[in-house]
Amino acid sequence: MHSIASARAWAARQFRQSGVDAPALASDLLLGFALGRDRVYILAHAAEGVPDAAWRLYGSLVRRHAGGEPLQYLIGEREFFGLDFSVTPAVLIPRPETEILVEAALRLAPGPDMRYADVGTGSGCVAVSVACRLPASSGWATDISGAALEVACANAARHGVLGRVRFIRADLLECFRPGPLFDMILSNPPYVALEDYDTLSSGVRDHEPRGALVGGRDGLDCYRRLAPGAAPRLAPGGRLLLEVGRGQAGRVRRLMEGAGLAAEEAIGDLQGIPRCLVFRKE
């Protein structure tokens, strides 16, 4: 029988040979998943044996991850904004950059009872994170993918906010009548340019949903479609918060200003790249 220590060492070698990032962490997380234990247990019980069934599962997971399958899909979870979210290949894996969007939403919220929409919700990480921090808020989350909405609903239920976040299968904002419905609209839309898709890592390109990544020829299709629909659905003084890709901030700002929204703030990531744009309805 393999010990936890020997299993960890074997997997880490496989991952290093395959060029996997953080091989030791990946080996621990997958072994913990196979054993139904957390990483603390794995590190504290190096001499303990790995049962045959868990070893077979672990071996399969290691081979799949070494072949490029994302770790988060294999274990079915991703941490985001201090919460654990279920993820499947139907949704994008939440990124740290998107936490900037949530941080801005909480900082700029007009009150604890904010009414907001999350457009293109995917896993629901944005809508659910806001709802958890603002317990009197009301949210509406849209996505064109029914499979994604199933994941988002499960995450809302997991964190006890399903009654305060309503999930709607719809294309962007088309399901909402024009009118002052929301204090804030949030969106992390598909923004990868078509010509850049093939340059993405194989783990992203081969496993994450293309429709949630590619935003048309130049990556701006969803912003163009959001621009005329956002302002009519915001209350006076309401805000639109958008995640954008590298090099897109100026073009997205012009699109939104052309639709009657005033640019208020551009928030950069740790490298200083603008990632979240804030617009205000005067």
Side-chain angles (χ1 to χ4, degrees):
M1 179 182 291
H2 294 273
S3 68
I4 285 178
S6 65
R8 293 177 65 227
W10 169 76
R13 286 195 301 272
Q14 307 305 308
F15 293 151
R16 281 192 290 270
Q17 291 170 6
S18 301
V20 169
D21 291 335
L25 176 61
S27 64
D28 292 351
L29 293 177
L30 289 176
L31 184 55
F33 178 76
L35 290 170
R37 301 285 191 173
D38 60 22
R39 195 183 186 206
V40 174
Y41 184 93
I42 298 299
L43 296 175
H45 295 80
E48 185 174 307
V50 178
D52 289 343
W55 172 253
R56 287 192 295 272
L57 173 59
Y58 186 49
S60 173
L61 294 171
V62 168
R63 286 187 287 274
R64 290 167 65 185
H65 189 43
E69 197 164 342
L71 175 69
Q72 295 83 358
Y73 289 153
L74 292 173
I75 64 177
E77 282 197 347
R78 169 71 170 188
E79 189 273 334
F80 178 87
F81 215 73
L83 301 170
D84 290 328
F85 285 87
S86 298
V87 292
T88 76
V91 300
L92 284 184
I93 298 166
R95 268 56 168 187
E97 292 84 359
T98 306
E99 294 186 348
I100 299 171
L101 187 74
V102 176
E103 290 169 354
L106 297 176
R107 173 170 57 86
L108 297 171
D113 57 348
M114 178 173 76
R115 294 166 59 89
Y116 65 94
D118 174 26
V119 180
T121 195
S123 67
C125 62
V126 170
V128 171
S129 295
V130 171
C132 286
R133 300 311 193 278
L134 297 176
S137 65
S138 299
W140 286 260
T142 69
D143 204 289
I144 201 168
S145 166
L149 288 173
E150 289 181 10
V151 176
C153 286
N155 281 320
R158 177 178 187 173
H159 294 293
V161 299
L162 187 56
R164 291 193 293 109
V165 182
R166 299 159 182 84
F167 294 92
I168 306 168
R169 187 172 186 179
D171 187 17
L172 303 182
L173 292 163
E174 68 175 14
C175 58
F176 303 112
R177 60 175 175 77
L181 302 175
F182 305 114
D183 301 304
M184 188 175 289
I185 296 173
L186 305 149
S187 185
N188 173 23
Y191 55 69
V192 175
L194 184 60
E195 63 183 14
D196 294 333
Y197 182 70
D198 288 339
T199 69
L200 298 175
S201 70
S202 60
V204 174
R205 188 181 63 247
D206 297 341
H207 297 281
E208 297 197 58
R210 179 187 172 108
L213 289 164
V214 177
R217 181 184 57 79
D218 61 356
L220 302 181
D221 281 4
C222 282
Y223 300 107
R224 291 190 185 93
R225 296 171 57 225
L226 265 174
R233 291 167 173 83
L234 282 170
R239 290 182 172 92
L240 170 67
L241 275 64
L242 298 171
E243 182 172 328
V244 296
R246 181 192 294 264
Q248 294 177 332
R251 289 174 292 169
V252 173
R253 184 183 68 247
R254 289 189 289 274
L255 283 171
M256 299 305 153
E257 288 176 336
L261 292 166
E264 188 172 67
E265 189 176 358
I267 307 166
D269 60 17
L270 294 176
Q271 296 177 305
I273 300 168
R275 287 293 187 181
C276 176
L277 303 184
V278 180
F279 301 90
R280 186 180 178 91
K281 180 177 180 178
E282 300 295 347

